[in-house]
Amino acid sequence: MTDDRRSAGTPTLEDVARAAGVSRATVSRVVNGVRNVDPAIQEVVRQAVSVTGYAPNRAARSLVTRRADAVALVVSGAGTEAEAGREGSGPQRSGASGGPPETPGGPGSSFTAQVFADPFFGRVVTGVVDYLRPRGMHPVLMFAETARARDEVVAYLRQGSADGALIVSTHAEDPLPGLLTEAGLAAVLYARPARPVRISYVDLAHQDGARLAAEHLLAVGRRRIATISGPLDVPAGQARLAGFRDTMERHGHPYVPIAEGRFTQESGEAAMGRLLAEHPDLDGVFAANDLMAMGACHVLREHGRRVPEDVAVVGFDDSSAALACRPPLTTVRQPVEAMAAEMTRLLLDRLARPGSPATSVIFEPELVVRASA
Amino acid sequence: MTDDRRSAGTPTLEDVARAAGVSRATVSRVVNGVRNVDPAIQEVVRQAVSVTGYAPNRAARSLVTRRADAVALVVSGAGTEAEAGREGSGPQRSGASGGPPETPGGPGSSFTAQVFADPFFGRVVTGVVDYLRPRGMHPVLMFAETARARDEVVAYLRQGSADGALIVSTHAEDPLPGLLTEAGLAAVLYARPARPVRISYVDLAHQDGARLAAEHLLAVGRRRIATISGPLDVPAGQARLAGFRDTMERHGHPYVPIAEGRFTQESGEAAMGRLLAEHPDLDGVFAANDLMAMGACHVLREHGRRVPEDVAVVGFDDSSAALACRPPLTTVRQPVEAMAAEMTRLLLDRLARPGSPATSVIFEPELVVRASA
């Protein structure tokens, strides 16, 4: 600590030491979080810090520890420079379900706006923040949907402004995880990357979740069941469809009508319209996320179908949309907050033990039965 | 810049200078964003930075510039230590409308979860990020709903980890704005503080917005109009109710039934239930935010009332809830993203010119006519 750099009048380490009646070295140890200091002395020093208004300069400390004590939370995409700040047809998530819904900002809205229009991202932030806060850390929020923005993230980590990155990809083909691992930077992903990358991640057992949905629809007596899938170029969309079809065929239902959506409410409405037009007698629908399930409920009601009496609807995620929907959705819970907290734990663990091998943690989904099925 | 501190093998400023064929001083000027460097030379240096993989150490630079080039985005509350991490009855916003709805996490969920369950906060983040990104800056996300968390925010700014704070208060009695201004730290508020504090803020002309809602309901022929107000202990709740009643009485309607809500969908449902029980013949409702309006629409439908044929409903905010609702809500638009961007501009302006006086920027609301009224 070089407090000499501080301007006159600003309280120094010496001021704190005097106020606490302890040595400068002891204050330094407490302020820098070194262990093995008597708790009573720690408390005395902390009170002296509070009384004097002393604040250690974090930049100076970072030069000593080589740690920023900060992590970047990056929402990334696969866009190119030409797309200048937003993805062509709107983000699609590779691992999570539920892309951004139609936003008040409309199709011209920024990537950031599209991202936050989906309740999923707020849940990720919640999990990350709730894990970091008790550790005195705060996430730096970054977006990286263009090549330039990805370079900025790499540079930001290289220059030590953050110690590592938590990445939520909106596209299966996102190059950021590969860029970070090649640069030897610490990073953890939410959801399995589409292509093999030596990086830690958390994910959900999507197929098991879809199985729960299929079994529930069959258990409540539905026999003409269709599905609104997520985008089939992303792993979560594929896995949920595969799990659903597998379960249906195991129960003797070889044919399942499918309409592909984009994890948005709007796309769920359009998909439901197509399914109803071709299969007006359907009595059950599994939508691969809650926003699409909510859109399906709207269209079913507009076509005079009661939910669940005429058509039972099951969603996926258990996001805020599940409770906002009328009737409230029976859905498959993805514990996003817990998964995001675990992703953060994996990153801090990696920072504490550099060189430890990449790992994966897979969460189990649960069926949440409400009124829609 | 003291690149001597960098470990061997890491590219230095000298490496970049050699690759670019310019002086070390020129590289330093470009890297540190000093003006008056020929654009062609800037480009050459940037390419050399890219080729060599050089990354300036931000901690080292911060020691020279005394600037972190970071701002904190703080969601604060008025809780005490005893409430340990979350507010008693859930956050209520002082300036914005719409508190967090019922969350999947339930009443035991964290303050963070409650905050992000409301689409409002995602819109704030969007506006802040969209303003900061082109300037190479990223927000550090912090929460401060307890006395200890507020102290942490003050310490974080004092120690120079961020240059200033953008504050979104969830309670009218939030002490954070006062703490920051007393400490001489740069901060800007979203929404007028409940008590006078010498701090800059952005806000909406809430009364004018409520006037637009009242005039629209009257213009479409409604005469038995009730209102679901926001919490009356927060300025925005008060102002929207005052603007609505003023307009009604100017049009010869001295009596307006009121049910107070808490800016959540759930509270809107409860309020609508009370209004219908006491005034079964009502034909128009102004809800002081979209989440409560959505709750009102649910309850009206459950009671066999068609929206808008039997009861016209107008919301406030134009959040994602307005589009998710069926029918889509006629509402008063609060341009949250633009307001958050302006809040950020005010802070950077303040940082560029320390000592400039506090200012306020008030945005005009607009009526957005959709299907519900």
Side-chain angles (χ1 to χ4, degrees):
Chain A
M1 304 293 300
T2 54
D3 284 85
D4 317 344
R5 293 173 189 268
R6 301 185 72 84
S7 60
T10 309
T12 65
L13 212 55
E14 283 73 17
D15 296 329
V16 179
R18 257 193 305 276
V22 302
S23 73
R24 190 182 184 286
T26 300
V27 174
S28 178
R29 284 158 62 86
V30 172
V31 165
N32 287 294
V34 176
R35 294 208 180 91
N36 303 326
V37 177
D38 185 288
I41 293 178
Q42 285 188 31
E43 188 51 37
V44 167
V45 171
R46 264 196 288 270
Q47 286 179 10
V49 165
S50 170
V51 167
T52 57
Y54 171 78
N57 184 293
R58 205 174 269 220
R61 189 165 64 197
S62 288
L63 278 181
V64 176
T65 63
R66 308 290 304 159
R67 285 282 290 275
D69 278 333
V71 300
L73 172 55
V74 188
V75 183
S76 62
T80 57
E81 208 53 49
E83 292 171 75
R86 59 194 197 75
E87 305 279 19
S89 59
Q92 297 172 338
R93 279 191 265 113
S94 62
S97 77
E102 180 192 7
T103 64
S109 65
S110 70
F111 178 70
T112 333
Q114 293 175 54
V115 164
F116 271 99
D118 190 317
F120 170 80
F121 292 98
R123 296 178 70 189
V124 170
V125 172
T126 295
V128 170
V129 167
D130 286 354
Y131 190 85
L132 288 177
R133 285 187 72 185
R135 290 158 182 84
M137 297 177 75
H138 311 276
V140 178
L141 204 52
M142 305 184 79
F143 291 80
E145 78 286 29
T146 63
R148 170 174 296 195
R150 283 189 288 273
D151 287 349
E152 282 172 10
V153 171
V154 172
Y156 192 82
L157 290 165
R158 265 202 185 136
Q159 74 198 13
S161 293
D163 301 314
L166 302 165
I167 307 175
V168 181
S169 274
T170 59
H171 273 77
E173 300 298 325
D174 180 10
L176 186 63
L179 289 174
L180 291 174
T181 51
E182 279 163 32
L185 297 164
V188 179
L189 272 181
Y190 192 102
R192 173 188 304 119
R195 297 170 188 209
V197 178
R198 206 174 290 277
I199 192 168
S200 294
Y201 59 83
V202 298
D203 208 339
L204 186 76
H206 297 282
Q207 298 218 14
D208 290 348
R211 176 176 54 74
L212 295 174
E215 287 174 353
H216 182 73
L217 284 167
L218 291 166
V220 295
R222 305 309 158 121
R223 292 297 176 266
R224 296 179 302 281
I225 305 174
T227 186
I228 300 174
S229 78
L232 296 179
D233 58 350
V234 304
Q238 292 161 7
R240 293 178 189 182
L241 179 60
F244 189 74
R245 294 174 80 171
D246 284 359
T247 308
M248 291 299 288
E249 74 184 11
R250 276 169 204 270
H251 286 81
H253 297 270
Y255 174 71
V256 178
I258 300 167
E260 187 179 347
R262 292 176 297 105
F263 280 147
T264 64
Q265 181 181 326
E266 211 179 6
S267 71
E269 291 173 6
M272 191 69 244
R274 294 198 299 276
L275 288 173
L276 268 185
E278 290 173 27
H279 308 277
D281 65 338
L282 56 82
D283 63 2
V285 176
F286 166 53
N289 83 344
D290 291 338
L291 287 172
M292 295 195 299
M294 183 151 86
C297 287
H298 289 160
V299 169
L300 286 167
R301 191 166 54 233
E302 282 161 17
H303 284 77
R305 308 294 207 285
R306 292 166 303 161
V307 177
E309 294 84 350
D310 301 323
V311 181
V313 176
V314 176
F316 204 111
D317 275 353
D318 198 19
S319 74
S320 57
L323 283 168
C325 189
R326 282 301 171 277
L329 292 175
T330 291
T331 187
V332 177
R333 179 160 179 82
Q334 173 172 209
V336 178
E337 295 85 353
M339 292 168 68
E342 177 65 16
M343 165 173 72
T344 314
R345 192 190 69 77
L346 289 177
L347 181 65
L348 297 196
D349 201 56
R350 163 77 197 276
L351 293 173
R353 290 183 293 174
S356 52
T359 186
S360 53
V361 179
I362 307 302
F363 283 70
E364 289 300 323
E366 270 177 62
L367 186 73
V368 179
V369 178
R370 295 200 185 92
S372 70
Chain B
M1 304 291 301
T2 54
D3 284 272
D4 316 342
R5 292 174 188 266
R6 301 186 69 84
S7 60
T10 309
T12 64
L13 212 57
E14 282 73 17
D15 295 330
V16 178
R18 257 194 305 277
V22 301
S23 74
R24 190 183 184 287
T26 299
V27 174
S28 178
R29 284 158 62 87
V30 172
V31 165
N32 287 296
V34 176
R35 294 209 180 90
N36 303 325
V37 177
D38 184 288
I41 293 177
Q42 286 189 31
E43 188 52 38
V44 167
V45 170
R46 266 197 287 269
Q47 286 180 10
V49 165
S50 170
V51 167
T52 58
Y54 171 77
N57 184 292
R58 206 174 268 221
R61 189 165 61 195
S62 288
L63 277 181
V64 177
T65 63
R66 308 291 304 158
R67 285 281 291 273
D69 278 333
V71 299
L73 173 55
V74 187
V75 184
S76 63
T80 57
E81 207 53 48
E83 293 171 73
R86 60 192 197 66
E87 305 279 21
S89 59
Q92 297 172 337
R93 280 190 265 111
S94 63
S97 79
E102 173 190 16
T103 64
S109 64
S110 69
F111 178 70
T112 333
Q114 294 176 53
V115 164
F116 271 101
D118 189 317
F120 170 81
F121 291 99
R123 295 177 71 189
V124 171
V125 172
T126 296
V128 170
V129 167
D130 286 353
Y131 189 85
L132 288 177
R133 285 187 72 185
R135 291 158 181 84
M137 297 177 77
H138 312 277
V140 178
L141 204 50
M142 305 185 80
F143 291 80
E145 78 286 29
T146 63
R148 170 173 297 194
R150 284 188 289 273
D151 287 349
E152 283 172 10
V153 171
V154 172
Y156 191 82
L157 290 164
R158 266 203 185 135
Q159 73 198 14
S161 293
D163 302 313
L166 302 165
I167 306 175
V168 182
S169 273
T170 59
H171 273 76
E173 300 298 324
D174 180 11
L176 186 63
L179 289 175
L180 292 174
T181 51
E182 279 162 31
L185 297 163
V188 180
L189 272 182
Y190 191 101
R192 175 188 306 118
R195 295 169 189 209
V197 177
R198 207 174 290 278
I199 193 168
S200 294
Y201 60 83
V202 298
D203 207 339
L204 186 76
H206 297 282
Q207 299 218 14
D208 290 348
R211 176 177 54 75
L212 294 174
E215 287 174 353
H216 181 73
L217 285 167
L218 291 167
V220 295
R222 305 308 157 122
R223 292 298 175 266
R224 296 178 302 281
I225 307 175
T227 187
I228 300 172
S229 77
L232 296 179
D233 58 350
V234 304
Q238 292 161 5
R240 292 179 190 181
L241 178 60
F244 189 74
R245 294 174 81 171
D246 284 358
T247 308
M248 291 299 288
E249 72 183 11
R250 276 170 203 270
H251 286 81
H253 298 269
Y255 175 71
V256 178
I258 301 169
E260 187 178 346
R262 291 177 297 107
F263 281 148
T264 64
Q265 181 181 325
E266 213 179 6
S267 71
E269 291 173 6
M272 191 69 244
R274 295 197 299 275
L275 288 173
L276 268 184
E278 291 173 26
H279 308 277
D281 65 337
L282 56 81
D283 63 1
V285 175
F286 166 54
N289 82 344
D290 291 338
L291 287 172
M292 295 196 298
M294 184 150 86
C297 287
H298 289 159
V299 169
L300 286 167
R301 191 166 53 233
E302 282 160 17
H303 284 77
R305 307 295 206 285
R306 293 165 303 161
V307 177
E309 294 84 350
D310 302 324
V311 181
V313 176
V314 176
F316 204 111
D317 275 354
D318 198 19
S319 73
S320 56
L323 284 167
C325 189
R326 282 299 171 280
L329 292 175
T330 291
T331 187
V332 177
R333 179 161 179 80
Q334 173 172 210
V336 178
E337 295 86 352
M339 291 168 67
E342 176 66 15
M343 167 173 70
T344 315
R345 192 190 70 75
L346 289 177
L347 181 64
L348 298 195
D349 201 54
R350 163 77 197 275
L351 293 173
R353 290 181 293 174
S356 51
T359 186
S360 54
V361 180
I362 307 301
F363 284 70
E364 289 301 321
E366 270 176 63
L367 186 75
V368 179
V369 179
R370 295 201 184 91
S372 70

